Amino acid sequence: MIKSNKAKPAKVNKPRVAKASPNAKSKSKTHAKVKPTAAPQPSKALHPRNIHNNGYDFAALVAAFPKLKAFVKPNPYGNLSIDFADPIAVKMLNAALLKLHYGVGHWDIPEGFLCPPIPGRADYIHHVADLLAVKKASKRRVPKGPRVRVLDIGTGANVIYPLLGIQSYGWDFVGSDVDPISIANTQQIFANNSDIANKFSARLQADAKHVFHGVIEANERFDLTLCNPPFHASLAEASEGSARKLKNLAANRAKSAQVQSSGRGKPDSGKSDSVLNFGGQKAELWCEGGELQFLRTMIDESHDFAGQCLWFTTLVSKKENLKPAKALLAKVKAEEVKEIEMHQGNKVTRVLAWTFLKSEQRELWVQYRDTQ
């Protein structure tokens, strides 16, 4: 669902809700030995263009990336899966997904760095791609190719958004990060994938107190900016969050085993596991002031680059941070603000998007870009 509000001179409109395209229902196959006592409730699907809507095909993944085989085994329902609490297994799964679905032959991250869930990250790419869609021949089409330039703030050692955006739409990416180790790893990943090496460049953010300043160069233009902000305010809070995820995962595994032994419940499709993150360094998981302070800095600085970016976007993990973020966007006089809901199983995450350009300016932007 997309919620949007557009500002007018002298006042800011109330948020308006735009109609969203209906999501297809998730598909899941029932294992022969499990007899559900009640029909399972369908969960909302990923974006229609997301190739991960049907879960993981472990047989195909192992065929594409044989190193994954050692970590794949039947879960309590008899379906192939991995132990999502094992960071090595999760990393092998990501490498397999990137190779099978995105043609990324070489991908790795240093020990202890964030290993992101690819289906959810791909959803972000597809939803923000819709912001760029233009009407051609009675259809809205997402622009593809290197003329579309994207800035990924806090790209991380995994550099996942550039990889997905490049392989899905052919866009060009700049990735920034405050961590030199992350920057070095992103450069190594692209050096090892020579067919896309010229579609990405990395920039070290020398001042962790800034977001766009020190990264966006004079007269440089970006069609999109992406960001997955650190959402904890301290190391202790981040550690508690990781411990809670692992505890919940262990509890879910125990519950699954109990359900399987009693012959009740629905089978595990593997989708619920795909939304979990493991690992993560300081800059990836927490910053002073947490997610809200990061959003404030980002919004404040975005105003300074109002004419150089078509759409600014960011994930917002905590729902309570949306209201103050929107209030600040009204204060800096954003022309239009959109809230995009992404559904990953029963989990809902949100993307906040804004632009300072009027609709006619956006049309000129597209015309200029397409003639270059």
Side-chain angles (χ1 to χ4, degrees), residues 97-117:
L97 288 167
L98 286 169
K99 186 170 185 180
L100 175 63
H101 297 296
Y102 300 97
V104 178
H106 304 277
W107 179 87
D108 196 9
I109 55 174
E111 183 179 353
F113 279 74
L114 188 65
C115 193

Side-chain angles (χ1 to χ4, degrees), residues 106 125 133 173 198 249 261 295 298:
H106 304 277
I125 292 291
F173 272 79
N198 65 341
L249 181 58
S261 64
L295 292 173
M298 180 185 294

Side-chain angles (χ1 to χ4, degrees), residues 328-358:
L328 184 54
L329 284 167
K331 184 178 180 181
V332 298
K333 298 181 180 180
E335 177 65 21
E336 187 168 358
V337 177
K338 293 187 177 184
E339 177 190 341
I340 305 169
E341 287 190 354
M342 302 190 301
H343 296 269
Q344 300 161 33
N346 293 321
K347 180 182 178 181
V348 179
T349 54
R350 298 160 188 85
V351 173
L352 189 61
W354 66 97
T355 182
F356 294 96
L357 303 181
K358 299 181 183 296

Side-chain angles (χ1 to χ4, degrees), residues 19 26 60 67 79 115 125 177 197 214 264 269 285 343 350:
K19 294 182 179 180
S26 299
K67 289 182 180 179
N79 300 318
C115 193
I125 292 291
D177 206 286
R264 300 193 308 273
S269 66
L285 295 180
H343 296 269
R350 298 160 188 85

